[in-house]
Amino acid sequence: MKQPITGFHLDEENHWVADLGCGHRQHMRHDPPWMERPWILTEEGRRSRLGVELECNRCDEAGRAVAEAVREALASAARQAYEDGGMSGLCAEGRWDLALDAMRAADLTPAIRRALGQERQDG
Ligand SMILES: [Zn+2]
C-alpha cells in the first residue's frame, strides 16, 4: 500500500527515517555505493520529498493480518450459530439462516484490534 512521506527524523544511530502518513516508518539510508540517496542529507532534499508516496510493507502485512482475523471471526461465529441451530432442532435451512445472521451481527472489532496490536508488536 502506498503512503505519503509526512516528515523525517534521525534514529538513534543517526540514520534518516521517513515518517509515513500511516504512522509507519522507513529507513532512507544514504550508504554509497549500495544505496544512493544524497538528497536525504540536506534539509532542502528532504523537504522536496515530502508527500512522495512509498510502498509500505507494514501496511500490507497489517491488511493481511486483519483479513485473516476477520475471516476467522466470521467462520467461528457461523460455526457456533450453525451448531446452536442444530441443538435447537432447526432444519438445515434454518441453521444456515442463523449462521448468516451470526456473521452479520458478529462484532469484528476485538479481532481487528488483536490483529493490529499483534502487527504493532512485531514491527
Ligand atoms: Zn504503513
Side-chain angles (χ1 to χ4, degrees), residues 3 20 22 24 56 58-59:
Q3 298 288 352
L20 304 181
C22 54
H24 292 131
C56 183
R58 292 264 177 80
C59 274

Side-chain angles (χ1 to χ4, degrees), residues 66 97 113:
V66 167
D97 281 344
R113 284 230 179 90

Side-chain angles (χ1 to χ4, degrees), residues 5-65:
I5 297 174
T6 57
F8 294 92
H9 69 272
L10 284 167
D11 71 4
E12 52 289 345
E13 287 165 13
N14 257 21
H15 291 127
W16 283 104
V17 178
D19 306 313
L20 304 181
C22 54
H24 292 131
R25 300 160 162 196
Q26 242 175 68
H27 271 99
M28 295 281 112
R29 291 182 211 282
H30 176 58
D31 188 16
W34 315 110
M35 210 40 111
E36 291 279 358
R37 282 199 194 95
W39 57 266
I40 194 68
L41 301 176
T42 68
E43 171 78 41
E44 198 188 345
R46 290 190 297 276
R47 201 178 313 123
S48 76
R49 293 304 204 280
L50 291 176
V52 169
E53 294 193 323
L54 298 177
E55 203 57 53
C56 183
N57 294 328
R58 292 264 177 80
C59 274
D60 292 343
E61 283 164 27
R64 280 192 291 274

